[in-house]
Amino acid sequence: MAIDNAARDSAETRLAKALFGFKLRDNAFHLLTLAAAWTVLLLLGGVIVSLVAGSMPAIKAFGFNFLTSEAWNPVTEKFGAMAPIYGTVVTSLIAMIIAVPIGLGIAVFLTELCPYVLRRPIGIAIELLAGIPSIIYGIWGLFVLAPFVQEHIQPGLIAFFADVPVLSMLFAGPPYGIGMLTAGVILAIMVLPIMSSISRDVFETVPAVLKESAFGIGCTTWEVVRFIVIPYTKVGIIGGVMLGLGRALGETMAVTFVIGNAHKITASLLAPGTTISATIANEFTEAVGDLYTSALIELGLILFVITFFILAISRYMLMRMHQQEGR
Amino acid sequence: MGIYDTRRRRGKFNIGLCYVSVVIGLSWLAIILGTLFYEGFRGLSPAVFTQMTPPPGSADGGLLNAIIGSLIMTGLGVAIGTPLGMLAGTYMAEYGRHTKLTLVVRFINDILLSAPSIVVGLFIYEVMVVRMGHFSALAGGVSLAVIVIPVVVRTTEDMLLLVPDPLREAASALGLPRSIVIGKVAYRAARAGLITGILLAIARISGETAPLLFTALNNQFFSTNLNAPMSSLPAVIFQFALSPYKEWQQLAWTGALIITLSVLALSIGARVLQTQRHAK
């Protein structure tokens, strides 16, 4: 009798111990995953805090003038962000002007025109463009694209627009090959896959009934795209364009190779310029003195703030698009 | 009749432009890969994998220290980033599926996913390089980990959400604790997807240059010391491509080919895994 009891007791305590162990492991795992989720938030907080802290000397020294000054002189320690900001915006705009229509065209092709068998291979091929690392685009741009642009495209542009009032200023000066235009073209190639794959995704959310009824009243394929598909997916398309823009603004290595790194604002798109990220990549390891380093970090802060807002807006729009789809 | 014809012609024209844009997109890919293979294979020889990066002007030399450095730092980045990313993704899909925290983390994570990588480099420079007083391979690895995390979080969450709930319910009904349900049932069901995520993350960081420039810096010599600057393929390509020496430029092309081939292999592997999962 006593032995039985002892055996039962020990079995019960063993069970209790095992259950307790389970509970402990369970809670530990739950807390661990929770902590990891918070780490993602801390990462973003850490980026902001460290960039602000690092750029404090420059903020104190130049104040608001940093944003409006074009000066960039390491010797006299006068720094201003105007030229890199201008270059970043202009190269990204060139990229969007080229990539948006082509990306939308590819998306229309993939969703409306392409035979089923070819959809996957062509979609994958376009997405492979996104997988190629940006340094590869850089070396290709430097050795292949820039010479080609210099010899075959820029002389033609300069001659063609020589007598047109405003455009002659945009396409002026000697054909260097490297410069804003070439950087914009490279960026266009790099953001094209994002543009086309997001547009394709949102195009696929258009209910078939809508398209069928448009075809039913005699619309051509183009009219269905123009008056049904594009209006229905407007929010998603804008979200995709902004996402591409966010990528283009922050792209570093490819631009660094072909931009020319000149801290000047020139009206001509053929002239060398610089972007925020190219300035940092080119000069950071050579920066001597705290103020120089700090000015470069402040450039990084500006870049991060700009891309943060653009990416946030684009994600919000794409989220709304998906909610609409779920309805 | 006139209106109908104009409509048809305009439609044909615009649809034609769509075909043109596909041709442009595909030829860009063909041109880039074409030149890369042509220029890269010219310089491919056993020496590339057995010799160190050469000093300026020297005729022979390879990329051995850069390849090893890239492998070490990529490994480090994955080793640090993957567990963190997987745990965070697990929280979002398993524990806090409908909580506000998950919504916020998903939003922030998506932004980190496309944030400029050079900013990550500056962040790690501030946090690690300045504190430690010198550039190091460790800082390089950590900066790559910061890029790995959002990729892994995203795929882990997506893949776990695809695992049907009845599977979890059945396991719970047997009396299994939550952590074992997740570890032995959900992870196993989503295994192909989780591996896909890790492969994509490796592909993403193996060509990253910007964050390495001022965290790991570069190193002309062979080094496996995590506490010292380390060479990496992208940094060597950056340095050699912009140099005036023909031999260096050739090595840069060959390095570019090596990176691209590994990235393409990784992304194709990820795709194959994904289709297998769908086929099941």
Side-chain angles (χ1 to χ4, degrees), chain A residues 22-23 25-26 29-30 32-48 50-51 53-55 98 101-106 108-110 113-114 120-129 131-137 139-140 142-145 185 188-189 192 217-223 225 243 246-247 249-253 256-257 276-278 280-282 284-285 293 296-297 299-301 303-304 307-308 311-313 315-316 319, chain B residues 4 7-8 10-12 14-15 17-19 21-22 24-26 28-29 31-33 35-36 39 83-88 90-92 95-96 101 103-105 107-120 122-127 135 146 149-150 153-154 175-180 182-184 187 203-204 206-210 213-214 217 233-235 237-243 249 252-253 255-257 259-260 263-264 267-268 271 275:
Chain A
F22 275 162
K23 199 177 163 196
R25 244 174 79 178
D26 229 22
F29 190 67
H30 187 167
L32 208 61
T33 59
L34 184 66
W38 274 101
T39 311
V40 175
L41 299 187
L42 287 182
L43 224 50
L44 183 84
V47 171
I48 296 171
S50 69
L51 288 185
S55 49
I98 301 172
I102 299 182
L104 287 179
I106 293 176
V108 169
F109 174 82
L110 286 176
L113 312 169
C114 187
R120 247 178 83 79
I122 292 183
I124 290 175
I126 299 288
E127 273 165 37
L128 278 186
L129 272 176
I132 299 176
S134 84
I135 186 127
I136 311 295
Y137 284 99
I139 183 172
W140 179 78
L142 181 67
F143 290 118
V144 180
L145 185 64
V185 172
I189 304 176
L192 182 69
I217 58 166
C219 286
T220 61
T221 312
W222 170 251
E223 283 163 348
V225 170
L243 192 63
R247 290 269 171 97
L249 288 171
E251 186 44 57
T252 309
M253 297 323 291
T256 307
F257 274 96
I276 296 179
S277 49
I280 304 172
N282 265 320
F284 198 83
T285 41
T293 313
L296 288 170
I297 295 179
L299 276 184
L301 179 66
L303 176 67
F304 189 61
T307 48
F308 182 89
L311 293 173
I313 296 169
R315 289 294 176 187
Y316 176 72
M319 223 156 72
Chain B
Y4 178 66
R7 277 179 52 207
R8 229 168 55 131
R10 182 179 301 155
K12 280 238 169 82
N14 287 323
I15 291 296
L17 286 182
C18 294
Y19 282 96
S21 39
V22 176
I24 294 177
L26 291 180
W28 263 337
L29 180 73
I31 292 170
I32 292 175
L33 289 184
T35 33
L36 189 62
E39 299 278 353
L84 253 169
M86 270 182 70
L87 285 173
T90 306
Y91 173 81
M92 291 157 75
Y95 287 109
L101 178 64
L103 270 181
V104 177
V105 170
F107 193 72
I108 297 298
N109 189 66
D110 277 351
I111 286 175
L112 286 176
L113 197 62
S114 18
S117 59
I118 193 155
V119 169
V120 172
L122 288 176
F123 164 53
I124 299 299
Y125 173 85
E126 274 297 309
V127 176
F135 299 100
V146 175
I149 290 172
V153 170
R154 181 69 187 270
L176 289 182
R178 194 80 181 270
S179 55
I180 293 184
I182 294 170
K184 295 251 158 88
Y187 276 174
R204 172 87 198 272
S206 44
E208 274 297 346
T209 319
L213 286 180
F214 26 88
L217 205 63
L233 268 180
I237 295 175
F238 182 53
Q239 188 197 348
F240 281 14
L242 288 171
S243 78
Q249 292 177 0
W253 274 112
L257 178 71
I259 291 185
T260 311
V263 169
L264 288 184
S267 39
I268 289 169
R271 259 176 216 290
T275 37

Side-chain angles (χ1 to χ4, degrees), chain B residues 242-257:
Chain B
L242 288 171
S243 78
Y245 311 108
K246 272 273 165 291
E247 297 83 13
W248 277 20
Q249 292 177 0
Q250 181 56 54
L251 274 177
W253 274 112
T254 308
L257 178 71

Side-chain angles (χ1 to χ4, degrees), chain B residues 41-204:
Chain B
F41 271 119
R42 265 202 319 204
L44 206 59
S45 67
V48 171
F49 301 98
T50 54
Q51 294 183 17
M52 305 295 146
T53 45
S58 163
D60 49 21
L63 295 164
L64 179 66
N65 49 343
I67 294 173
I68 300 287
S70 270
L71 287 178
I72 291 177
M73 284 191 283
T74 306
L76 206 59
V78 173
I80 301 170
T82 308
L84 253 169
M86 270 182 70
L87 285 173
T90 306
Y91 173 81
M92 291 157 75
E94 299 284 342
Y95 287 109
R97 204 176 282 186
H98 303 291
T99 58
K100 279 229 170 66
L101 178 64
T102 297
L103 270 181
V104 177
V105 170
R106 189 180 299 144
F107 193 72
I108 297 298
N109 189 66
D110 277 351
I111 286 175
L112 286 176
L113 197 62
S114 18
S117 59
I118 193 155
V119 169
V120 172
L122 288 176
F123 164 53
I124 299 299
Y125 173 85
E126 274 297 309
V127 176
M128 288 184 71
V129 178
V130 172
R131 294 285 140 74
M132 292 163 69
H134 56 85
F135 299 100
S136 68
L138 188 64
V142 173
S143 66
L144 292 182
V146 175
I147 296 169
V148 166
I149 290 172
V151 183
V152 175
V153 170
R154 181 69 187 270
T155 43
T156 306
E157 194 205 358
D158 286 352
M159 293 305 148
L160 286 178
L161 285 178
L162 284 178
V163 176
D165 273 338
L167 219 57
R168 296 189 182 89
E169 285 155 12
S172 294
L174 291 175
L176 289 182
R178 194 80 181 270
S179 55
I180 293 184
V181 174
I182 294 170
K184 295 251 158 88
V185 179
Y187 276 174
R188 191 160 295 179
R191 192 169 50 192
L194 298 179
I195 297 173
T196 304
I198 298 168
L199 290 183
L200 287 178
I202 300 175
R204 172 87 198 272

Side-chain angles (χ1 to χ4, degrees), chain A:
Chain A
M1 214 39 195
I3 297 164
D4 269 8
N5 263 341
R8 205 170 61 214
D9 277 357
S10 80
E12 265 172 15
T13 47
R14 267 214 313 262
L15 184 66
K17 255 190 196 154
L19 284 178
F20 185 70
F22 275 162
K23 199 177 163 196
L24 213 63
R25 244 174 79 178
D26 229 22
N27 286 342
F29 190 67
H30 187 167
L31 283 179
L32 208 61
T33 59
L34 184 66
W38 274 101
T39 311
V40 175
L41 299 187
L42 287 182
L43 224 50
L44 183 84
V47 171
I48 296 171
V49 168
S50 69
L51 288 185
V52 170
S55 49
M56 236 24 202
I59 294 176
K60 275 192 193 124
F62 306 115
F64 193 71
N65 275 341
F66 188 75
L67 289 176
T68 53
S69 158
E70 199 192 322
W72 191 268
N73 192 337
V75 181
T76 57
E77 298 211 311
K78 289 270 174 292
F79 300 105
M82 200 61 194
I85 292 177
Y86 173 82
T88 306
V89 171
V90 170
T91 50
S92 302
L93 282 184
I94 297 174
M96 297 325 278
I97 290 171
I98 301 172
V100 170
I102 299 182
L104 287 179
I106 293 176
V108 169
F109 174 82
L110 286 176
T111 51
E112 308 291 335
L113 312 169
C114 187
Y116 265 100
V117 208
L118 288 178
R119 267 180 204 195
R120 247 178 83 79
I122 292 183
I124 290 175
I126 299 288
E127 273 165 37
L128 278 186
L129 272 176
I132 299 176
S134 84
I135 186 127
I136 311 295
Y137 284 99
I139 183 172
W140 179 78
L142 181 67
F143 290 118
V144 180
L145 185 64
F148 180 81
V149 169
Q150 181 178 22
E151 280 166 35
H152 302 288
I153 296 184
Q154 290 183 343
L157 283 174
I158 294 168
F160 188 80
F161 290 112
D163 301 325
V164 189
V166 181
L167 293 179
S168 67
M169 276 163 56
L170 286 182
F171 300 101
Y176 289 112
I178 54 173
M180 304 279 230
L181 184 67
T182 314
V185 172
I186 293 234
L187 285 178
I189 304 176
M190 297 185 72
V191 298
L192 182 69
I194 307 162
M195 293 286 329
S196 62
S197 74
I198 289 182
S199 319
R200 185 190 58 190
D201 287 351
V202 296
F203 282 177
E204 274 169 0
T205 65
V206 180
V209 193
L210 278 185
K211 287 192 275 186
E212 281 158 11
S213 42
F215 279 122
I217 58 166
C219 286
T220 61
T221 312
W222 170 251
E223 283 163 348
V224 172
V225 170
R226 172 69 191 80
F227 298 107
I228 307 292
V229 175
I230 290 181
Y232 187 87
T233 54
K234 203 167 48 193
V235 178
I237 294 176
I238 298 174
V241 171
M242 306 266 289
L243 192 63
L245 181 63
R247 290 269 171 97
L249 288 171
E251 186 44 57
T252 309
M253 297 323 291
V255 175
T256 307
F257 274 96
V258 296
I259 190 79
N261 203 34
H263 282 272
K264 271 187 309 203
I265 298 181
T266 329
S268 174
L269 298 180
L270 308 185
T274 191
T275 67
I276 296 179
S277 49
T279 306
I280 304 172
N282 265 320
E283 302 179 26
F284 198 83
T285 41
E286 284 153 24
V288 279
D290 289 345
L291 204 56
Y292 195 178
T293 313
S294 172
L296 288 170
I297 295 179
E298 190 176 353
L299 276 184
L301 179 66
I302 295 170
L303 176 67
F304 189 61
V305 170
I306 299 173
T307 48
F308 182 89
F309 280 110
I310 290 195
L311 293 173
I313 296 169
S314 88
R315 289 294 176 187
Y316 176 72
M317 287 180 139
L318 290 172
M319 223 156 72
R320 257 182 49 189
M321 194 69 208
H322 283 295
Q323 277 164 1
Q324 185 186 19
E325 180 193 3
R327 206 170 41 183

